[in-house]
Amino acid sequence: MRLSDEMLLRVEKPGRYVGGELNAVIKDKEGKTRFGFCFPDVYEVGMSHLGLQMLYFFINRREDAWCERAFMPWPDMLSVLREADIPLYALESGDGIRELDILGFTLQYEMCYTNVLAMLELGGLALRAAERGEDDPIVCAGGPCTTNPEPMAEFIDFFYIGDGEASLDAVLDAYRDNKTRGGKKADFLSAISGIDGIYVPAFYDVKYNDDDTIANFVSNRHEVGSRVKRAFLPRLGYFPERFLVPLVEAVHNRVTLELARGCSRGCRFCQAGYIYRPLRERGIDELLAQAEALLAATGHEEISLLALSACDHSGFGELVDRLLAVTEPKKVNLSLPSTRLDASFLSAVEKTQRVRKSSLTVAPEAGSQRMRDVIKKNLTEEGILAGITQAFEADFNKIKLYFMAGLPGEEEGDVQAIGTLAEKVVEVYYKMPYEKRKKPVAVSVSTACFVPKAFTPFQWVGQVSPEAFETRQREVKAGIRKKQITYRYHDAKTAYVEGVLARGDRRVGAAIEAAYRAGAMFDGWSEHFNYYTWLAAFESAGIDPDFYTQRERGENELLPWDFIDMGVSKEFLRREYERAMKGETSPDCRTSCADCEVACHA
Amino acid sequence: MHKVRIQFSKDGALKFIGHLDFLRVFQQALRRSGLPVAYSQGFNPHILLSFALPLPLGMASLHDYADLTLAESTDMENARVRLQEYAPLGLTVLTIWEADGRSAAAVTEAADYILTVKEAEITTVRQAVHELLAAKEYIIAKKTKGGIKDTDIRSDIIDIKSNGNVVTMRLSAGSGRFLNPMTVAAILLGRDTAACEMIRAELFKKEGEILKPLY
Ligand code: SF4
């Protein structure tokens, strides 16, 4: 630690910068591959992230490696570091991150990209991979945004695409072997370029057509194939026996169990539902053992259940019963995922006294049935209202309804239907007998702006413009008359920038750099996001944002992420898109296979 | 229900977390330890744990106190060893004993602080200590809810001793009267206290007119 007490006391939350958490791993650095897990957001956000806990202990289980952590410093600490000329350091050793061997950024959302650049620069590294030398660490990136890595390609030495546990050992072995052999960075990168999930951008060239679409994307080296296959773990295995327990309050202070990876529902707007296919569940005995071990190792007073659709776990009812048997005597709170108001969830709620019975979240995603069919959100209005009625009867009185605006094929009526549905929820409450209405009902409606993502059936569609989003927000607002309903909406301008970053190509990297140079940071935080900085950055980088957001892509266009084999086939995604446009749904994988070609039953 | 008092010291990374964070961290250690702690009644049960007096951010303490309620009696030395085993880095559990009666927070009336001054400052500080103790009153502008008010802090300065570069200050500290040690440090040093080194050494209760440590 190179910060004096005096420096630490100049910032708002010094506890973010001192390390020393329970279960933090301290090793002797001699002879270790030193890995820096870099989370491009504040400490409290990063420490609540299960992926960090998983990979931290996964890497540290190796005797030849030491994984440490670094987070994006909040602006107050940023000025302290810059003023004192102290580089961004790893929390475990206090060494500057430039002294480590590999820096691994996790890209959880596009709006953290400028923070990645900020952390590199704070660490004393050049932003562009090509400008870094043999003395600099290798910089890699993983996480869901690597499904379209191209906008960050210039800054990253290699991307890791897919399940972390699948290929990480092979990468670390290769690093160690290369170092023993006295190999250079380039030798290491070529050694790993054949491993599933590894994409080294420098080994590929992109050529563009006159209309700015991609003409071709080819490897410039013989030994590298033109396609990169995702790293894939057929069966979930490893799970940490301990979690780091932060000293300052994180967003979530709790044990998180990963019930499953993947989802069988295939909602067409949901990237996670496609890139993590097929559904892989953990067994109940395994989950229970993890719960007990982690409670003992952390002292947390809450457990949460994580999965894209946790209630879909094939043994959900039994799991909840058996978890409650563990948690109730320990006075531990079991936090149930509540976005799906179905029978299994409500019966679980009934069984737990320790669920705060006030607020419940439901995500119909679209207001009209027609739109719900387009996006394949398998919920009917009767189903939603019946579930909510049950929830009201079970003493809930606050309902949060989540929707998306700007969905493909959306018309005015579909937008108005959002308010109508919210009003019906209020009406359902007043249909209950008077003695059941003990507390006042409150319905909060929120609309997110739909941003089409890679590897979804909507990867070809044009995104709605910021002005059109704002019109829709006004329409929703106008449709809400009851005073029990409040309405919030996401910022349309943020969605516009996110759209460019989500489906951009390599040329977008210049705009990210320009935005960062002009002061953009913490773009995911509304108080820090500056739209005009970004518009100027697009302009200075010679980029037309509408080309990436509003343009409908042709069926045969080469998309920037087409070189990645994510399991699901492009033909399948196209079929789903065409079905969507006809308002047709398709089956849940649990009912019948829709042939996405991920070959889950091969 | 068995009320016990825990004497501990706190240092390292724990200096940099606020009171509520430290409460959570302490409760987590208790849960890990498996000691038979008692929980509050009601919808959201929590461990019955409270501290004598919050520490300012950045300050370590040599002797600090917490009250804890256990659901069943247990050997105190075993409990201490067990809690220490599960304690986070920087927390040292010194003793635990059965302590009925008023809470540590209710009885605490004074605290000792140890201020370490730079070699070059020793003479000025010694002079300032002398003047401060000789004065009948010492008026400062204190921020209160109703705005800035002139307040006499002299009566809250119980004693100050300076010995080389170590200054020990005994000041009012408790839910009734409380004098911020940084205020006094600023007076003695005649400068901004941002980089000053201070720890809290002990907490006191009153027995008759005599101040006694909380143990
Ligand atoms: S192969 Fe069939 S069942 Fe398996 S994930 Fe794809 S669509 Fe679902």
Side-chain angles (χ1 to χ4, degrees):
Chain A
M1 193 71 48
R2 280 180 266 168
L3 290 186
S4 65
D5 284 16
E6 189 263 322
M7 284 172 185
L8 285 165
L9 290 172
R10 264 164 43 200
V11 304
E12 186 197 349
K13 290 187 184 165
R16 288 166 168 168
Y17 310 103
V18 294
E21 302 92 336
L22 185 82
N23 298 328
V25 178
I26 305 294
K27 294 186 178 183
D28 175 5
K29 61 187 172 197
E30 280 321 302
K32 306 278 190 305
T33 297
R34 298 186 67 184
F35 191 96
F37 191 108
C38 298
F39 200 99
D41 208 324
V42 278
Y43 180 86
E44 295 92 308
V45 174
M47 286 297 284
S48 303
H49 185 248
L50 178 62
L52 178 146
Q53 304 272 6
M54 295 256 294
L55 292 180
Y56 182 79
F57 290 106
F58 184 82
I59 297 172
N60 276 324
R61 86 194 197 299
R62 291 175 64 110
E63 284 189 3
D64 64 351
W66 183 16
C67 179
E68 304 183 59
R69 292 159 297 147
F71 299 88
M72 175 69 186
W74 194 246
D76 58 356
M77 179 51 96
L78 209 81
S79 1
V80 170
L81 292 176
R82 281 182 178 154
E83 238 172 71
D85 206 11
I86 293 176
L88 181 66
Y89 54 88
L91 287 182
E92 278 72 4
S93 63
D95 292 341
I97 58 171
R98 194 163 172 252
E99 291 171 43
L100 308 190
D101 297 311
I102 306 177
L103 300 179
F105 284 89
T106 177
L107 307 180
Q108 293 294 316
Y109 21 82
E110 292 82 0
M111 302 311 282
C112 73
Y113 288 174
T114 50
N115 281 5
V116 173
L117 302 193
M119 288 174 76
L120 286 174
E121 194 160 65
L122 275 171
L125 283 83
L127 301 188
R128 294 190 171 249
E131 286 160 21
R132 291 190 294 259
E134 285 298 324
D135 287 344
D136 287 307
I138 301 263
V139 177
C140 68
C145 291
T146 61
T147 42
N148 178 23
E150 287 300 88
M152 290 295 282
E154 304 283 356
F155 314 112
I156 303 293
D157 294 307
F158 75 89
F159 289 92
Y160 183 107
I161 304 164
D163 294 319
E165 316 94 304
S167 298
L168 204 46
D169 274 333
V171 171
L172 291 169
D173 288 346
Y175 187 87
R176 183 198 52 210
D177 296 346
N178 187 59
K179 205 171 174 183
T180 322
R181 270 197 311 266
K184 295 226 182 303
K185 255 183 167 178
D187 301 317
F188 165 67
L189 292 174
S190 3
I192 60 169
S193 60
I195 298 174
D196 279 359
I198 304 304
Y199 165 50
V200 181
F203 294 171
Y204 294 82
D205 294 325
V206 197
K207 291 210 169 56
Y208 302 93
N209 295 313
D210 290 342
D211 65 358
D212 270 339
T213 57
I214 295 173
N216 61 44
F217 183 96
V218 284
S219 134
N220 53 29
R221 321 200 11 148
H222 295 305
E223 69 265 39
V224 179
S226 62
R227 270 170 75 79
V228 173
K229 200 170 174 334
R230 69 167 171 171
F232 176 70
L233 198 67
R235 281 178 57 91
L236 302 186
Y238 176 81
F239 203 71
E241 290 157 7
R242 290 168 290 162
F243 276 3
L244 290 153
V245 184
L247 297 177
V248 287
E249 182 151 34
V251 176
H252 302 301
N253 290 283
R254 60 193 190 190
V255 167
T256 304
L257 298 179
E258 186 191 33
L259 266 51
R261 214 171 287 179
C263 178
S264 62
R265 295 186 178 254
C267 300
R268 290 174 179 137
F269 57 87
C270 173
Q271 188 187 47
Y274 292 88
I275 63 174
Y276 295 122
R277 285 185 174 217
L279 175 66
R280 290 153 285 165
E281 291 185 348
R282 290 186 190 265
I284 298 180
D285 291 334
E286 177 193 351
L287 289 165
L288 231 78
Q290 289 162 0
E292 297 205 50
L294 287 165
L295 285 177
T298 60
H300 278 313
E301 54 179 344
E302 181 167 289
I303 295 192
S304 78
L305 308 178
L306 185 83
L308 291 170
S309 186
C311 298
D312 285 351
H313 189 281
S314 57
F316 188 71
E318 184 189 341
L319 176 67
V320 169
D321 282 344
R322 289 175 60 190
L323 275 174
L324 285 173
V326 172
T327 56
E328 299 272 312
K330 290 194 165 82
K331 308 269 195 274
V332 166
N333 188 26
L334 180 63
S335 140
L336 294 171
S338 65
T339 37
R340 203 165 275 280
L341 254 190
D342 46 16
S344 60
F345 170 70
L346 285 163
S347 82
V349 167
E350 282 306 298
K351 281 180 234 154
T352 70
Q353 286 109 50
R354 298 182 41 75
V355 170
R356 229 168 294 245
K357 274 198 191 161
S358 56
S359 165
L360 200 63
T361 306
V362 190
E365 309 290 5
S368 69
Q369 194 58 48
R370 190 184 76 83
M371 277 321 296
R372 282 195 296 270
D373 288 343
V374 168
I375 63 175
K376 208 186 143 193
K377 184 81 191 182
N378 190 10
L379 281 174
T380 60
E381 185 168 303
E382 299 80 74
I384 296 166
L385 294 177
I388 290 179
T389 307
Q390 261 181 285
F392 282 147
E393 281 169 354
D395 265 1
F396 287 93
N397 67 317
K398 291 191 188 117
I399 305 286
K400 290 186 192 155
L401 297 173
Y402 285 3
F403 297 94
M404 275 180 300
L407 290 164
E410 186 177 76
E411 289 162 13
E412 213 181 309
D414 301 309
V415 178
Q416 279 157 1
I418 293 175
T420 314
L421 183 59
E423 303 233 314
K424 283 183 187 161
V425 170
V426 175
E427 282 158 21
V428 158
Y429 183 78
Y430 285 102
K431 277 200 197 111
M432 289 198 307
Y434 179 75
E435 59 280 10
K436 287 222 158 189
R437 291 182 261 138
K438 283 178 227 136
K439 293 175 272 179
V441 63
V443 175
S444 84
V445 172
S446 93
T447 57
C449 301
F450 174 61
V451 178
K453 295 278 160 95
F455 291 105
T456 67
F458 296 146
Q459 63 178 354
W460 292 274
V461 306
Q463 180 177 329
V464 166
S465 73
E467 298 73 33
F469 271 129
E470 282 158 8
T471 307
R472 282 165 167 81
Q473 289 160 355
R474 278 192 296 274
E475 280 168 18
V476 175
K477 210 171 192 168
I480 295 174
R481 276 165 300 255
K482 290 194 170 17
K483 63 177 189 325
Q484 294 90 342
I485 306 172
T486 51
Y487 175 49
R488 290 181 304 121
Y489 46 85
H490 291 191
D491 178 36
K493 299 186 170 83
T494 307
Y496 186 65
V497 175
E498 184 187 329
V500 179
L501 303 183
R503 288 191 294 167
D505 52 38
R506 261 187 206 195
R507 294 169 296 189
V508 169
I512 299 172
E513 185 173 347
Y516 168 66
R517 295 279 177 227
M521 253 190 313
F522 284 108
D523 294 303
W525 295 69
S526 54
E527 69 265 41
H528 288 291
F529 174 71
N530 188 327
Y531 185 52
Y532 301 98
T533 302
W534 276 98
L535 292 187
F538 291 137
E539 197 173 330
S540 77
I543 274 171
D544 172 15
D546 290 346
F547 175 80
Y548 298 103
T549 53
Q550 266 143 269
R551 187 173 59 92
E552 166 97 23
R553 279 74 165 163
E555 178 174 359
N556 298 317
E557 181 176 333
L558 196 58
L559 303 172
W561 50 90
D562 274 348
F563 72 94
I564 302 172
D565 174 1
M566 279 306 289
V568 292
S569 71
K570 197 176 180 183
E571 294 69 35
F572 163 75
L573 294 174
R574 191 70 197 182
R575 275 202 308 279
E576 279 296 295
Y577 175 48
E578 278 155 11
R579 277 188 204 135
M581 290 300 103
K582 283 186 260 169
E584 288 170 15
T585 62
S586 53
D588 185 309
C589 301
R590 289 172 300 174
T591 333
S592 76
C593 172
D595 263 326
C596 75
E597 286 169 61
V598 56
C600 70
H601 30 237
Chain B
M1 293 294 171
H2 297 261
K3 292 198 170 174
V4 300
R5 186 155 297 165
I6 304 170
Q7 186 196 40
F8 62 93
S9 70
K10 180 183 152 185
D11 199 1
L14 292 178
K15 284 201 306 196
F16 297 103
I17 64 173
H19 184 60
L20 288 177
D21 284 336
F22 183 57
L23 187 66
R24 192 190 55 255
V25 164
F26 207 115
Q27 288 172 336
Q28 284 165 345
L30 285 164
R31 257 192 299 274
R32 289 192 299 270
S33 75
L35 287 173
V37 292
Y39 287 86
S40 65
Q41 298 296 308
F43 181 69
N44 217 352
H46 56 266
I47 294 176
L48 295 166
L49 176 75
S50 62
F51 296 119
L53 190 71
L55 262 178
L57 211 59
M59 200 182 283
S61 70
L62 295 181
H63 298 105
D64 219 324
Y65 301 88
D67 289 328
L68 171 71
T69 309
L70 293 174
E72 54 194 69
S73 79
T74 170
D75 180 79
M76 290 293 109
E77 176 54 13
N78 276 347
R80 187 196 67 78
V81 172
R82 230 186 136 74
L83 182 53
Q84 183 61 63
E85 195 182 328
Y86 290 92
L89 225 61
L91 172 65
T92 310
V93 187
L94 301 168
T95 13
I96 305 185
W97 67 96
E98 309 230 14
D100 262 330
R102 294 172 68 205
S103 69
V107 299
T108 301
E109 302 222 18
D112 271 0
Y113 302 91
I114 299 174
L115 171 71
T116 311
V117 303
K118 298 188 184 113
E119 291 297 326
E121 290 174 325
I122 294 179
T123 341
T124 9
V125 169
R126 190 179 297 144
Q127 181 64 23
V129 170
H130 198 75
E131 281 166 21
L132 194 51
L133 291 180
K136 287 231 158 36
E137 54 169 31
Y138 197 97
I139 310 287
I140 60 157
K142 211 174 179 179
K143 261 193 231 134
T144 64
K145 277 184 211 121
I148 293 176
K149 232 176 90 183
D150 281 348
T151 318
D152 179 12
I153 58 163
R154 178 60 189 85
S155 59
D156 289 318
I157 299 172
I158 300 161
D159 196 13
I160 306 181
K161 286 193 179 78
S162 84
N163 187 355
N165 66 339
V166 176
V167 179
T168 311
M169 320 189 288
R170 185 165 299 178
L171 311 176
S172 291
S175 46
R177 305 183 70 100
F178 179 82
L179 176 57
N180 188 341
M182 288 303 172
T183 306
V184 185
I187 296 169
L188 298 182
L189 295 166
R191 63 167 166 90
D192 165 30
T193 54
C196 97
E197 238 185 275
M198 201 191 304
I199 54 174
R200 194 168 79 191
E202 189 57 89
L203 295 178
F204 298 90
K205 60 184 173 188
K206 250 186 188 150
E207 272 179 16
E209 278 311 294
I210 301 167
L211 284 174
K212 279 197 160 172
L214 240 56
Y215 53 78

